Amino acid sequence: MIIVHHLENSRSQRILWLLEELGLEYEVKRYERHPKTMRAPDSLKAIHPLGKSPLIEEGEVVLAETGAIMEHLVAERGRYGAPESPVLARHYHFYMHYAEGSLMPPLFGMLIVNRLGLLGKPAKKPVMGMLAEHFAFLDKELEQRDWFAGADLTAADMMMSFPLEAAQARAGLDERYPNILRWLKQCHERPAYQRALARGGEYAYAG
Ligand SMILES: N[C@@H](CCC(=O)N[C@@H](CS)C(=O)NCC(=O)O)C(=O)O
């Protein structure tokens, strides 16, 4: 049985979504953020030294990093991984890395800027500018394909869900980017996505 160490309102919602799409049985251990610092509780460090979520346990194995967990699950179950077409497979791998490697850093920057209030004000415009470049790129990408790696949902879409949901909630992703909003709607309409929401509890970003 897979155990998911799931922090409320966090990236780990994506793992629940993948597990629901795969139809796997799993147990959710929920953790709440510290109300002031928003950090994860120290109890997560007992599972993995970094104490971040998501983490999964499968027997003796503990896995961290959303992308690594997803690659492990799709490789084992043979679904939602890279499409056969080399072109689409390249899109798949790009987004599996881009979500955490390129899109999350400016979004995290935005979070810090907002938390700093007046002190963060000078950084707001440049960070918003960086994000606008990402959104324009992504909107063009989704003009050409239903999902990030082609006509079908893959783990790359699940990877991209958290940053784009967070962007919609707090970083200026709006109707200027209709293809991204259409894609978000498609994600949210998936029955597995809805089941994952019910399993995960508090999640402030699902539209
Ligand atoms: N790149 C990592 C990031 C993990 C991460 O930072 N998780 C956040 C949840 S959104 C966390 O646990 N934050 C609480 C903390 O750092 O105390 C991944 O995708 O798994």
Side-chain angles (χ1 to χ4, degrees):
M1 165 79 91
I2 298 171
I3 301 172
V4 186
H5 296 275
H6 171 68
L7 182 65
E8 62 176 358
N9 286 321
S10 84
R11 289 163 163 90
S12 57
Q13 191 62 41
R14 297 177 290 192
I15 299 298
L16 305 185
W17 182 16
L18 175 58
L19 287 165
E20 287 293 340
E21 292 285 356
L22 289 170
L24 296 175
E25 284 198 18
Y26 59 97
E27 181 190 333
V28 180
K29 290 206 172 145
R30 290 193 76 246
Y31 299 79
E32 287 176 11
R33 292 180 184 267
H34 186 285
K36 282 216 173 78
T37 65
M38 304 305 279
R39 296 297 309 271
D42 279 347
S43 49
L44 262 183
K45 291 205 171 85
I47 317 294
H48 185 281
L50 291 177
K52 305 263 184 207
S53 178
L55 296 172
I56 68 163
E57 272 182 281
E58 213 178 351
E60 297 296 298
V61 179
V62 175
L63 286 178
E65 276 295 329
T66 316
I69 296 170
M70 286 206 175
E71 293 288 19
H72 166 78
L73 292 171
V74 302
E76 275 209 333
R77 272 73 187 189
R79 292 168 62 206
Y80 299 109
E84 271 182 28
S85 139
V87 173
L88 296 180
R90 277 201 292 277
H91 289 307
Y92 171 89
H93 292 299
F94 173 83
Y95 286 106
M96 288 303 284
H97 291 270
Y98 167 90
E100 286 293 320
S102 292
L103 187 52
M104 276 314 291
L107 282 167
F108 188 67
M110 200 61 208
L111 178 76
I112 304 293
V113 164
N114 285 337
R115 292 196 113 211
L116 285 174
L118 269 183
L119 268 182
K121 220 173 158 208
K124 194 159 186 162
K125 215 170 154 197
V127 178
M128 285 299 267
M130 267 180 226
L131 283 167
E133 285 173 7
H134 282 282
F135 300 156
F137 162 69
L138 294 169
D139 200 65
K140 268 218 141 29
E141 282 280 279
L142 287 171
E143 197 175 57
Q144 297 161 53
R145 300 185 294 283
D146 288 347
W147 298 95
F148 276 109
D152 301 307
L153 173 78
T154 66
D157 297 287
M158 301 179 213
M159 276 305 285
M160 289 294 288
S161 61
F162 179 75
L164 289 176
E165 287 168 341
Q168 190 180 27
R170 64 168 188 241
L173 172 59
D174 57 23
E175 56 286 346
R176 287 170 296 170
Y177 309 102
N179 297 297
I180 305 180
L181 297 192
R182 180 263 305 158
W183 171 88
L184 274 170
K185 191 162 170 280
Q186 273 167 219
C187 296
H188 297 165
E189 283 171 358
R190 306 269 315 172
Y193 183 97
Q194 292 299 327
R195 288 196 300 275
L197 273 188
R199 287 295 300 272
E202 179 65 22
Y203 185 64
Y205 304 114

